[in-house]
Amino acid sequence: MDTIIIGGFLGSGKTTTLLALARHAAQKGHSVAIIENEIGKVSIDDGVIEREGFMVQNLFAGCVCCTLTGDLCACVDTIARELQPDLLIVESTGIAFPEKIRETLQRYLQVPSRTLLIVDAQRWQRISRAMEHLVIQQLENAACVLINKADAVPADVLAAVEADIVTRCPDARVWTASAREGLDDATCEVILYGESLA
C-alpha cells in the first residue's frame, strides 16, 4: 500500500490536489482510499470526494499528529487489512505536522509513507511571517512541496516564494502549479511514488 500524507495551511488547495492525485492513480487502475482529518464535527469535502468514487474515512474533533494518533493508527490498520487499497492518501488538518504523522505510521504500523506539503503562493509570505513555527514544522522532511495558485501571483512573488521554500526545505522536490488547472501525469507520478513509473 503506497501512502502519501498531504499537509498545508487551511485553504492552500489540499483537497483539490488530493483529488488530482487520486484520479491519476485510479486512471492507472489503482484502488484508492482516503482519510480526511477534520478539526470540527462535519466534513466539508468528503461528499465531493465520495462522488468521485473514492473510499473516504473521516477522523473528527482533533489532529491526527497529536490527539488522534491512536485513532489514525486504528483507521490505517483497518483500511490496510479490510480494503487493501493500492494507494492511501491522508489529508491532514491545516495545523498538522505531516512529518509527525509519517513517523507515527512508521513507528506503530511499519507503514512507510511520503509527505506532500501544499503551499498557497498568494498567502505564503504573510503566513510564513505570522506563523513561522508552524511553517517550519510543516516543511520538516517534506518529500515534496507543491506551490499552489502560482497563476494568481506575479512572477516575482512566485520566484520569492519558491526561493524561500527551497531555502527552508532544500531536500524536497518543489513544483509550482495551479492544482485547479490540474497536475500533469509526470508530477503526479513523482509525488505519489517518488519517481516516474511510465
Side-chain angles (χ1 to χ4, degrees):
M1 179 175 74
D2 288 305
T3 303
I4 185 161
I5 300 157
I6 300 180
F9 200 72
L10 181 68
S12 60
K14 294 191 299 291
T15 302
T16 303
T17 303
L18 178 155
L19 282 170
L21 296 172
R23 287 181 192 125
H24 176 82
Q27 287 169 0
K28 295 180 75 68
H30 298 157
S31 57
V32 180
I34 296 165
I35 296 175
E36 285 253 302
N37 180 207
E38 304 279 355
I39 290 293
K41 295 181 179 179
V42 177
S43 174
I44 297 170
D45 300 316
D46 65 339
V48 174
I49 296 169
E50 286 176 341
R51 281 194 294 276
E52 293 273 341
F54 301 112
M55 301 170 279
V56 181
Q57 175 66 52
N58 289 296
L59 294 176
F60 291 117
C63 177
V64 293
C65 74
C66 44
T67 58
L68 295 181
T69 296
D71 291 348
L72 171 67
C73 289
C75 185
V76 171
D77 183 58
T78 299
I79 287 171
R81 285 185 295 101
E82 297 183 3
L83 301 178
Q84 299 180 345
D86 299 313
L87 174 65
L88 172 64
I89 304 176
V90 180
E91 180 184 351
S92 65
T93 69
I95 58 170
F97 303 140
E99 177 63 11
K100 288 187 178 180
I101 300 170
R102 189 195 68 76
E103 290 173 353
T104 295
L105 295 181
Q106 181 63 51
R107 178 178 180 184
Y108 294 107
L109 298 176
Q110 290 74 55
V111 171
S113 57
R114 298 168 49 73
T115 57
L116 167 66
L117 188 71
I118 311 297
V119 167
D120 182 340
Q122 289 181 296
R123 297 184 297 156
W124 174 255
Q125 292 175 334
R126 181 163 34 101
I127 290 171
S128 63
R129 284 193 301 268
M131 302 180 195
E132 186 173 16
H133 175 71
L134 173 64
V135 165
I136 290 171
Q137 291 292 309
Q138 285 193 338
L139 282 170
E140 184 181 10
N141 295 326
C144 306
V145 178
L146 181 68
I147 303 172
N148 194 18
K149 306 179 187 178
D151 56 330
V153 297
D156 61 327
V157 172
L158 182 60
V161 172
E162 186 171 9
D164 193 19
I165 296 294
V166 169
T167 298
R168 293 173 186 264
C169 198
D171 296 327
R173 299 284 298 265
V174 179
W175 292 268
T176 59
S178 171
R180 183 171 34 190
E181 294 178 3
L183 300 176
D184 62 67
D185 288 344
T187 300
C188 288
E189 289 285 316
V190 177
I191 290 172
L192 290 173
Y193 309 113
E195 59 184 333
S196 177
L197 302 181

